[in-house]
Amino acid sequence: MTVRKVVEYPDPILRTISSKITVFDDQLQFLIDDMFETMDAYNGIGLAAPQIGLSKSVLVVGYKKLRFPLINPRIVESHGFSINQEGCLSLPSIHVDVERKDKIKVASKTVNGDDIEQEFSGFLAVIVQHELDHLNGKLIIDYGTPKVSLKEVD
Ligand code: CO
């Protein structure tokens, strides 16, 4: 497994719509393994393939004890909304208030290429929607005015 470099805004790949995964082989599992390792190395709670320079419809989430990939994900149902302050590994030091759906149902593929539907709510739903946005070339700065947090100097 390899820690990949996380690309930062304004790299154009962050604005590119990802292509769907059509081949479910070892390479896909290796990519997912690398994405988890990269997410952990950067202390992230989610990561999308475009953030490591690959325009492919794969994201990973790692929040508390939950760790899972989503392949070719799409939201098929959603309810309610919540506003959360979000950050992004590709936009260091920036936070934006983003309105998200509170509950979502997501259709995706397993690593073996089987269809799967899962429901997410609360903060987990926020992470999934954030990473799913990356697959569509969308970033948190598209939702409002960024608040830049300046690091305090000793
Ligand atoms: Co992000």
Side-chain angles (χ1 to χ4, degrees):
M1 292 199 288
T2 316
V3 174
R4 312 277 192 104
K5 188 179 155 45
V6 172
V7 301
E8 293 182 5
Y9 180 81
D11 191 305
I13 197 144
L14 295 171
R15 291 306 200 182
T16 307
I17 295 181
S18 297
S19 51
K20 296 264 191 290
I21 296 292
T22 53
V23 180
F24 297 84
D25 59 3
D26 286 350
Q27 292 304 315
L28 177 61
Q29 187 60 58
F30 295 151
L31 168 63
I32 290 166
D33 292 344
D34 280 3
M35 286 175 66
F36 275 123
E37 197 169 336
T38 305
M39 179 186 75
D40 291 341
Y42 281 78
N43 295 313
I45 50 176
L47 189 76
Q51 293 183 279
I52 55 165
L54 282 170
S55 205
K56 292 183 175 187
S57 188
V58 181
L59 64 85
V60 296
V61 173
Y63 179 60
K64 295 187 175 169
K65 288 192 172 160
L66 279 171
R67 292 168 74 85
F68 58 89
L70 290 174
I71 301 156
N72 300 349
R74 62 190 172 88
I75 295 170
V76 291
E77 237 177 74
S78 62
H79 303 280
F81 73 92
S82 66
I83 294 171
N84 307 272
Q85 193 172 87
E86 296 180 26
C88 180
L89 294 177
S90 296
L91 291 154
S93 310
I94 284 178
H95 292 91
V96 181
D97 288 330
V98 181
E99 187 181 312
R100 300 289 188 191
K101 300 292 183 184
D102 195 41
K103 252 184 151 174
I104 52 172
K105 189 190 273 185
V106 176
S108 66
K109 293 279 189 185
T110 67
V111 284
N112 299 317
D114 298 322
D115 290 311
I116 183 174
E117 270 191 2
Q118 292 158 280
E119 284 184 324
F120 304 102
S121 60
F123 195 53
L124 207 50
V126 172
I127 302 170
V128 169
Q129 286 168 88
H130 176 116
E131 302 311 332
L132 222 150
D133 269 357
H134 277 298
L135 305 179
N136 294 311
K138 198 164 180 182
L139 299 167
I140 53 172
I141 46 173
D142 302 338
Y143 288 91
T145 312
K147 300 180 186 87
V148 178
S149 52
L150 298 172
K151 281 186 188 142
E152 284 185 39
V153 181
D154 291 332

